Amino acid sequence: MGILDNRVAIITGAGGGLGAAHAKVFAAEGCAVVVNDINQAAAQTVVDDIIAAGGKAVVNTSDITNYDDSLNAVKTAIDSFGDLHIVLNNAGVNRDRMFASMTEAEWDTIMSVHLKGHFCISSHAVHYWRGQSKEGVAVDARIINTTSGAGLQGSIGQSNYAAAKAGIAALTLNQAAELARYGITANCVAPAARTGMTTAVEAMATRMAKPEDGSFDYFAPENVSVLLAFLGSAESAHVTGRCFESEGGKISIADGWRTTKGLDKGEQWQPSELKAAVDQLIAEGVPAQPVYGA
């Protein structure tokens, strides 16, 4: 028995890296998995591995940035396995550049793959789940989004990526608030793991390398996957609107923007008064975490 027995998931970008790890862990926990990736050969390799291990999986090559094509991922889940319970938005790319040098194309690519990519399949899945709910079917569905520490606190040279990942965190809060009425939870996870994206830089590849002595593989992507498996399970029905961080054997919840006590003059401030007021607010507040790379 697995924590995801009799559940069906779509996992985007599952042809490699974190997505492939997620797909294999989900399948090992009893989930039927739609392995979504634009690289059909890579997706098929993951599916073959899952089936060889006794699991259930199929390939889907829907373009997550194309709204109409994304519907086919949901159709694949329902046609292949009879239902859908989980959308795990994982797919992503990098177009790193300092802000002063960033091109419009580099900005648009990241917004399309990350932010729009988190919208398209989820939108179609929500239409399906809302329809079930309105027909009196008990829905126990999950949206799991992938944010990043870059989105939570910024990252030098990644203003496009940081902005998109921050948008995903905010999207998750809205989804949780709006979709609970239909039996849908929404959570996001900021992972730290060894993938093609994180090891593209030699220094990162060295730091994240798998230990040769057989000790705990701190940056193994499966360390993140097990948290997502829990979030996709029936056991997590009470967990929604949360942003988790996962690194090695550590899991935590990122605490988002909060309104402080503030200063209330009771009438309009004058510009000449605001330096002292703002200085006081900063002195009394909790400093933000440093931007990555600062």
Side-chain angles (χ1 to χ4, degrees), residues 103-166:
T103 67
E104 180 182 13
E106 288 165 342
W107 180 272
D108 287 346
T109 295
I110 294 300
M111 293 302 149
S112 180
V113 174
H114 289 274
L115 205 47
K116 186 178 180 183
H118 271 60
F119 165 74
C120 291
I121 291 178
S122 295
S123 173
H124 293 300
V126 166
H127 294 164
Y128 170 67
W129 292 326
R130 181 177 62 180
Q132 286 186 312
S133 179
K134 289 184 175 181
E135 292 173 1
V137 176
V139 175
D140 188 27
R142 307 283 180 269
I143 296 173
I144 306 172
N145 295 326
T146 305
T147 184
S148 167
L152 303 180
Q153 62 196 68
S155 179
I156 298 296
Q158 292 189 307
S159 56
N160 50 359
Y161 182 77
K165 289 302 192 182

Side-chain angles (χ1 to χ4, degrees), residues 16-19 92 94 193-201 204-205 208 221:
L18 272 168
N94 279 99
R194 184 176 57 249
T195 71
M197 286 173 59
T198 57
T199 58
V201 178
M204 289 290 286
M208 290 185 161

Side-chain angles (χ1 to χ4, degrees), residues 17-18 21 192-195 198-199 204-226 246-250:
L18 272 168
R194 184 176 57 249
T195 71
T198 57
T199 58
M204 289 290 286
T206 300
R207 186 169 77 90
M208 290 185 161
K210 184 176 181 178
E212 297 180 357
D213 60 2
S215 60
F216 175 54
D217 187 357
Y218 187 85
F219 288 108
E222 291 79 9
N223 298 336
V224 180
S225 304
V226 293
S246 177
E247 177 177 333
K250 179 184 177 181

Side-chain angles (χ1 to χ4, degrees):
M1 294 289 288
I3 198 171
L4 294 173
D5 280 350
N6 303 314
R7 291 177 75 76
V8 179
I10 298 169
I11 302 178
T12 69
L18 272 168
H22 298 340
K24 292 174 183 179
V25 169
F26 272 50
E29 288 294 329
C31 193
V33 182
V34 176
V35 177
N36 166 267
D37 203 289
I38 56 173
N39 185 328
Q40 184 171 1
Q44 187 63 58
T45 297
V46 174
V47 168
D48 291 345
D49 288 346
I50 289 172
I51 292 173
K56 294 179 287 185
V58 294
V59 170
N60 170 264
T61 58
S62 292
D63 179 354
I64 62 167
T65 71
N66 182 298
Y67 189 75
D68 291 338
D69 192 25
S70 289
L71 176 58
N72 291 317
V74 176
K75 288 181 177 179
T76 297
I78 297 168
D79 292 345
S80 300
F81 303 118
D83 208 345
L84 175 64
H85 306 95
I86 306 157
V87 172
L88 197 174
N89 293 302
N90 164 78
V93 296
N94 279 99
R95 295 291 186 272
D96 293 353
R97 190 85 63 189
M98 297 299 281
F99 184 81
S101 302
M102 185 167 293
T103 67
E104 180 182 13
E106 288 165 342
W107 180 272
D108 287 346
T109 295
I110 294 300
M111 293 302 149
S112 180
V113 174
H114 289 274
L115 205 47
K116 186 178 180 183
H118 271 60
F119 165 74
C120 291
I121 291 178
S122 295
S123 173
H124 293 300
V126 166
H127 294 164
Y128 170 67
W129 292 326
R130 181 177 62 180
Q132 286 186 312
S133 179
K134 289 184 175 181
E135 292 173 1
V137 176
V139 175
D140 188 27
R142 307 283 180 269
I143 296 173
I144 306 172
N145 295 326
T146 305
T147 184
S148 167
L152 303 180
Q153 62 196 68
S155 179
I156 298 296
Q158 292 189 307
S159 56
N160 50 359
Y161 182 77
K165 289 302 192 182
I168 288 167
L171 171 65
T172 303
L173 298 180
N174 262 61
Q175 289 173 326
E178 295 179 10
L179 302 177
R181 71 191 72 181
Y182 305 121
I184 305 166
T185 69
N187 294 284
C188 63
V189 176
R194 184 176 57 249
T195 71
M197 286 173 59
T198 57
T199 58
V201 178
E202 185 177 353
M204 289 290 286
T206 300
R207 186 169 77 90
M208 290 185 161
K210 184 176 181 178
E212 297 180 357
D213 60 2
S215 60
F216 175 54
D217 187 357
Y218 187 85
F219 288 108
E222 291 79 9
N223 298 336
V224 180
S225 304
V226 293
L227 171 60
L228 301 189
F230 164 73
L231 292 176
S233 74
E235 294 183 10
S236 71
H238 62 295
V239 182
T240 194
R242 299 291 184 171
C243 181
F244 291 86
E245 293 181 275
S246 177
E247 177 177 333
K250 179 184 177 181
I251 58 172
S252 58
I253 291 179
D255 211 358
W257 295 100
R258 292 182 179 272
T259 303
T260 62
K261 180 181 178 181
L263 297 173
D264 185 357
K265 182 181 175 183
E267 58 183 324
Q268 187 182 70
W269 291 89
Q270 296 302 308
S272 60
E273 300 173 310
L274 287 173
K275 182 180 185 304
V278 170
D279 286 350
Q280 181 179 339
L281 289 174
I282 292 172
E284 293 175 351
V286 177
Q289 291 180 234
V291 172
Y292 287 153

